[in-house]
């Protein structure tokens, strides 16, 4: 009797306790991290005189009538020192108010397409942007082959953008089919910095298979992870190339009009550099 009575009590006591298996809890998954070589694999230090190096740079030529959109007001010229000149250790892109090919402004848009195309790496530019309402300078990247279709399906990486009506606020962004400004879903970060128009600052993007991260003067401001959702969210597995330009007005740059007194407007670029991704 005593044994029969005790056994169920002991059994019920044991059954009421939570099981405690001796299995350690797994660690949270860690994101893949990448490093980069310390010496640039490609660069332009702009340590020469005259037109930009033809072995590294070509030009997009024309206006919004070429299908570039954005309702910009400038005509992009080719091999014209007034708009793109190297000297005193810097590249100077100059937007000028003048009558040219039926438009009221000229500027330049340098591209490395077909001469320097990249898949992954660290991309850095040291630059000083122009002041003035209506200016819209940018250092950015576009796909070379447009493998996934026209913009924005094949992607865009903006390393530096600045609009003159928002003085000293710089932007780093990406655009894809799922994330772009046309539908209000763009992935972007902004940073207010001192003297963006009077001092040089370093703008950088680290582009890897797992993430794109952006930095201003080595301070992280932007992070876009690869969600694994296909090219609609991550078309960044194809080669891209550099673009350097000043646009005038446009859907964003001209939101508060264009101050003619801001021209000529100059962006100075000390260097552009690419550091190879280290395969971990």
């Amino acid at each position: 009797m005593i044994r029969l009575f005790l056994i169920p009590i002991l059994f019920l006591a044991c059954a009421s306790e939570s099981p405690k298996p001796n299995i350690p809890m797994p660690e949270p998954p860690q994101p893949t991290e990448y490093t980069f070589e310390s010496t640039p694999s490609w660069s332009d230090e702009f340590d020469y005189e005259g037109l930009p190096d033809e072995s590294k740079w070509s030009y997009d030529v024309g206006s919004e009538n070429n299908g570039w959109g954005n309702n910009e007001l400038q005509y992009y010229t080719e091999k014209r020192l007034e708009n793109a000149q190297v000297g005193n250790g810097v590249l100077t892109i100059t937007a000028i108010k003048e009558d040219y090919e039926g438009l009221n402004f000229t500027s330049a848009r340098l591209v490395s397409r077909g001469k320097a195309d990249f898949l992954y790496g660290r991309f850095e530019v040291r630059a000083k942007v122009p002041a003035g309402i209506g200016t819209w300078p940018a250092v950015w990247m576009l796909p070379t082959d447009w493998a996934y279709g026209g913009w924005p399906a094949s992607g865009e990486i903006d390393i530096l953008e600045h609009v003159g009506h928002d003085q000293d606020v710089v932007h780093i962004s990406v655009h894809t089919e799922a994330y772009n400004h046309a539908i209000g879903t763009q992935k972007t970060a902004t940073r207010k910095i001192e003297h963006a128009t009077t001092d040089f600052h370093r703008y950088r993007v680290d582009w890897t298979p797992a993430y794109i991260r952006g930095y201003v003067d080595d301070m992280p401001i932007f992070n876009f992870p690869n969600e694994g959702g296909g090219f609609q969210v991550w078309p960044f597995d194809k080669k891209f190339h550099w673009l350097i330009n000043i646009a005038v007005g446009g859907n964003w740059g001209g939101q508060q009009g264009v101050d003619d007194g801001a021209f000529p407007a100059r962006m100075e670029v000390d260097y552009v550099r690419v550091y190879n991704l280290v395969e971990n």
Side-chain angles (χ1 to χ4, degrees), residues 190-203:
T190 61
R191 175 62 58 93
K192 175 94 171 175
I193 61 176
E194 291 187 359
H195 313 305
T197 62
T198 56
D199 293 340
F200 285 93
H201 294 269
R202 295 188 315 279
Y203 306 92

Side-chain angles (χ1 to χ4, degrees), residues 136-259:
W136 182 2
V139 181
W140 50 306
M141 302 182 75
L142 281 177
T144 298
D145 298 320
W146 299 92
Y148 299 119
W151 192 93
S154 290
E156 174 182 326
I157 302 171
D158 300 320
I159 302 171
L160 161 64
E161 284 187 285
H162 179 271
V163 286
H165 61 75
D166 198 8
Q167 179 77 34
D168 291 330
V169 176
V170 296
H171 306 254
I172 298 176
S173 313
V174 298
H175 298 282
T176 73
E177 185 174 301
Y179 301 120
N180 67 81
H181 69 266
I183 57 176
T185 59
Q186 74 273 12
K187 298 293 185 177
T188 189
T190 61
R191 175 62 58 93
K192 175 94 171 175
I193 61 176
E194 291 187 359
H195 313 305
T197 62
T198 56
D199 293 340
F200 285 93
H201 294 269
R202 295 188 315 279
Y203 306 92
R204 183 181 109 215
V205 159
D206 290 353
W207 170 24
T208 80
Y211 54 80
I212 294 173
R213 294 175 181 166
Y215 303 79
V216 177
D217 293 330
D218 296 325
M219 293 291 296
I221 71 166
F222 177 76
N223 183 43
F224 179 65
N226 183 352
E227 300 172 1
F231 81 86
Q232 292 87 352
V233 298
W234 186 270
F236 304 113
D237 57 357
K238 305 294 182 182
K239 288 186 176 181
F240 278 57
H241 59 270
W242 290 94
L243 298 93
I244 305 174
N245 67 282
I246 300 177
V248 179
N251 296 341
W252 190 20
Q255 282 185 357
Q256 296 186 17
V258 176
D259 177 10

Side-chain angles (χ1 to χ4, degrees), residues 254-273:
Q255 282 185 357
Q256 296 186 17
V258 176
D259 177 10
D260 290 349
F263 298 87
R266 297 177 178 87
M267 174 167 59
E268 295 181 355
V269 181
D270 183 27
Y271 62 74
V272 290
R273 296 171 181 168

Side-chain angles (χ1 to χ4, degrees), residues 5-79:
F5 179 74
L6 290 175
I7 288 173
I9 293 177
L10 291 173
F11 175 78
L12 290 172
C14 292
S16 66
E17 295 180 2
S18 299
K20 297 178 180 178
N22 188 23
I23 300 174
M25 293 295 292
E27 293 293 327
Q30 298 299 313
T32 302
E33 293 294 330
Y34 290 86
T35 57
F36 302 86
E37 295 180 355
S38 58
T39 301
S41 60
W42 182 93
S43 70
D44 199 335
E45 304 295 325
F46 302 115
D47 52 0
Y48 50 92
E49 303 286 326
L51 290 169
D53 186 345
E54 288 189 22
S55 71
K56 298 178 178 180
W57 302 104
S58 299
Y59 301 79
D60 278 340
V61 180
S63 68
E64 67 167 346
N65 299 323
N66 296 81
W68 294 331
N70 291 323
N71 295 307
E72 297 165 13
L73 304 178
Q74 77 287 334
Y75 188 96
Y76 285 128
T77 66
E78 181 178 16
K79 297 181 182 180

Side-chain angles (χ1 to χ4, degrees), residues 60-63 72-78 80-84 92-109 134-136 245-249 258 262-267:
D60 278 340
V61 180
S63 68
E72 297 165 13
L73 304 178
Q74 77 287 334
Y75 188 96
Y76 285 128
T77 66
E78 181 178 16
R80 189 171 184 250
L81 287 170
E82 292 90 337
N83 297 120
T92 302
I93 302 289
T94 306
I96 304 170
K97 180 171 172 51
E98 59 180 333
D99 295 331
Y100 195 94
E101 297 292 337
L103 296 177
N104 296 323
F105 296 89
T106 62
S107 186
R109 183 156 106 171
T135 61
W136 182 2
N245 67 282
I246 300 177
V248 179
V258 176
F263 298 87
R266 297 177 178 87
M267 174 167 59

